[in-house]
Amino acid sequence: MEGGNNMMEQMMKMLQSGKVDLDTAIKNAMKNVDAVMMHYLENCLNCGGCAPACPFFAAGPEYSPVNKAEEVRKIYRKEMTIAGKILGRLVGAEKPKPEDMDRLMELAYACTNCGHCYYTCMVGIHSGKVVGLLKSILTSAGYVPTLLNMFEAVELHGMYKQIPGIMKIWNDALEEAQKKYGPIEFDKSFKGSTDKKPKVLFLAWISDAMMMRNGFIATIGILNKLKEAGLIDWTTWKVPEAFRAPISVVIGRSANAKKVLERVVKYIEAISPDYVLMMDGGYPYPVFRFEMYGVIKKTVGGKPKWKIVHLVEFLDDLMKEGKIGFEQADDPITWHDPCQLGRHSRVFEPPRDLLKAASSSYRDLPHNREMNFCCGGGGGIGCILREVRITMGQIVGMEIRIPPKEEEFERRVERNHLIAVRRKMEDVKKSGAKIVATACPACVETIARGVRHYGKEMGIEDVKVIHISEYLVDKLKVYTH
Ligand code: SF4
Ligand code: SF4
């Protein structure tokens, strides 16, 4: 226990070392206001049309997108506009004071960056991105939830490799997958070995094994079935280069996100596959595919030769080429669009094509695709709950304590999170589905939490929440012509 506490202190020191005062944090953040962000900050009509889209609005009007974004607009006006500098509060320009910080933390962590408000705003304002700017100010001024601070340190410095509890979860899942579905060729063709370069590199995260264990094992099962039939060869890393890269984007620390991304990209380059495949449809997918693609290009010195795909896209393409199919069952199953894979990356149809092929009783949720209800677990929110703190403490072998003031924050985050997921559960009930398939660990955990919390009251306690691979693996048919 003492060793664990030392490690925690060491982690916190590492992250606090980059802390700056609030004024500097604001000035640094304002340097990142580009033309798009300026549009978000300048052109809001204050019509409130975005409010019903937000999963947190049900927890109180203060959580409406426009209200959360207004906190950043106040700072922006004060720092960046002449009227704001001269007239201050008269024109809604104000910098936060120390007594505002708790409230700002609470508002910042009542946003999952789901993007639903963007799709409902008639002038195209993405309040989630504006809240992201608020998070980056808070983070660089040292206001970060303890658990997210820890997760970031663990990933950034590769500390998970030294934590036996974390590596055990990863190694046990790999062992079970191999017992069930045959051997894995790890690190194939790494650093110029004589192996043939694999077609697919499965970019699996520790979080896949930890939060979607069955889906992780099933994904390996799918890849091995494709390999046995001669359709692909594939590899993955024996020891991952990241926990869930890059965790730093969740708290708005882009310099650290870049460091982790570069490390992962160097590994990918050393393998040089045709496809880099993820089973995670949360933030890593759009970050690698779009948002930090510039960092990738810089790291490899041009456009990479490999393509980033999500598992559902890869399988859907194989199905359309007539190379795979599925034995069709008739389970009432639905698809929950992870906001990052769906709204942010517009991967809407591939998972539906696959599930329709695998079940004659597939149905959409009432709110789906662009208008899908966010579950309320993204943006790091699902990671800063008390139950996660206790579980992580058991995994790393130490009690994870938070300051008494943060306990109140934790309680409020938990309250808002549970209110946010309720709307999703109502949709699940209306759909009549008994299985909710999805692809993001935060969604899997949050919707499962929703079933535990509201299941009895809503009569949906028998609903199962799974990663899509779990449903597909046993039904997969590979055609060898
Ligand atoms: S962000 Fe868009 S929808 Fe929301 S209040 Fe402003 S203009 Fe209206
Ligand atoms: S991005 Fe989502 S969670 Fe954030 S303010 Fe908009 S609707 Fe709410």
Side-chain angles (χ1 to χ4, degrees), residues 53-56 63 65 68 110-117 126-128 131:
C54 186
F56 296 94
Y63 300 111
K68 287 179 282 199
C111 173
T112 55
N113 186 26
C114 75
H116 200 165
C117 51
H126 195 319
S127 297
V131 176

Side-chain angles (χ1 to χ4, degrees), residues 156-181:
L156 181 65
H157 303 288
M159 290 165 116
Y160 55 88
K161 294 178 193 171
Q162 273 87 53
I163 302 176
I166 291 183
M167 292 316 292
K168 186 174 179 342
I169 290 173
W170 171 255
N171 288 324
D172 284 357
L174 286 177
E175 201 182 308
E176 190 178 329
Q178 292 185 90
K179 256 191 215 152
K180 215 165 166 184
Y181 296 113

Side-chain angles (χ1 to χ4, degrees), residues 77-79 81-89 91 93-94:
R77 289 181 201 119
K78 185 74 190 164
E79 189 66 28
T81 68
I82 293 169
K85 281 180 200 281
I86 298 170
L87 300 171
R89 290 173 71 174
V91 290
E94 198 178 3

Side-chain angles (χ1 to χ4, degrees), residues 117-341:
C117 51
Y118 172 65
Y119 275 88
T120 55
C121 173
M122 68 181 113
V123 289
I125 288 172
H126 195 319
S127 297
K129 298 285 180 207
V130 181
V131 176
L133 194 62
L134 174 62
K135 274 189 185 172
S136 73
I137 294 172
L138 292 169
T139 297
S140 61
Y143 296 90
V144 196
T146 300
L147 268 178
L148 286 175
N149 227 355
M150 276 184 61
F151 278 121
E152 190 198 30
V154 162
E155 175 169 274
L156 181 65
H157 303 288
M159 290 165 116
Y160 55 88
K161 294 178 193 171
Q162 273 87 53
I163 302 176
I166 291 183
M167 292 316 292
K168 186 174 179 342
I169 290 173
W170 171 255
N171 288 324
D172 284 357
L174 286 177
E175 201 182 308
E176 190 178 329
Q178 292 185 90
K179 256 191 215 152
K180 215 165 166 184
Y181 296 113
I184 299 169
E185 289 182 272
F186 292 105
D187 304 315
K188 193 172 153 63
S189 83
F190 185 65
K191 280 194 182 139
S193 77
T194 52
D195 295 342
K196 190 169 125 318
K197 290 183 189 310
K199 188 177 173 87
V200 173
L201 166 64
F202 174 26
L203 198 62
W205 311 118
I206 298 262
S207 52
D208 293 338
M210 192 177 266
M211 296 160 78
M212 303 189 286
R213 190 176 197 274
N214 293 341
F216 175 65
I217 292 169
T219 301
I220 291 170
I222 289 172
L223 293 173
N224 263 359
K225 281 189 177 189
L226 298 177
K227 183 180 148 197
E228 275 159 28
L231 272 187
I232 61 162
D233 56 340
W234 71 278
T235 191
T236 192
W237 38 29
K238 183 83 177 103
V239 180
E241 288 294 337
F243 191 89
R244 192 184 179 211
I247 290 173
S248 309
V249 294
V250 170
I251 54 173
R253 210 154 14 205
S254 53
N256 288 351
K258 197 166 157 260
K259 281 184 202 160
V260 175
L261 202 77
E262 282 168 352
R263 197 167 76 210
V264 173
V265 169
K266 279 180 189 154
Y267 178 88
I268 299 172
E269 276 287 285
I271 301 285
S272 281
D274 294 336
Y275 293 93
V276 175
L277 179 145
M278 291 189 207
M279 63 173 277
D280 185 341
Y283 68 81
Y285 181 83
V287 165
F288 273 77
R289 183 111 193 228
F290 311 111
E291 292 165 17
M292 294 185 81
Y293 193 66
V295 176
I296 294 179
K297 274 169 73 178
K298 218 167 166 189
T299 311
V300 305
K303 203 173 161 205
K305 293 200 179 78
W306 31 271
K307 193 178 165 194
I308 297 154
V309 287
H310 191 273
L311 174 76
V312 293
E313 296 173 285
F314 190 72
L315 293 180
D316 193 40
D317 282 351
L318 289 178
M319 189 167 73
K320 283 182 178 143
E321 289 163 16
K323 292 176 178 162
I324 64 166
F326 296 92
E327 265 166 43
Q328 201 180 46
D330 59 0
D331 304 294
I333 188 165
T334 190
W335 171 252
H336 161 72
D337 291 283
C339 300
Q340 302 294 324
L341 186 67

Side-chain angles (χ1 to χ4, degrees), residues 40 43-51 64-67 69 73 117-118 120-127:
Y40 297 158
N43 295 327
C44 175
L45 309 171
N46 210 13
C47 66
C50 50
S64 78
V66 58
N67 195 57
R73 290 194 179 101
C117 51
Y118 172 65
T120 55
C121 173
M122 68 181 113
V123 289
I125 288 172
H126 195 319
S127 297

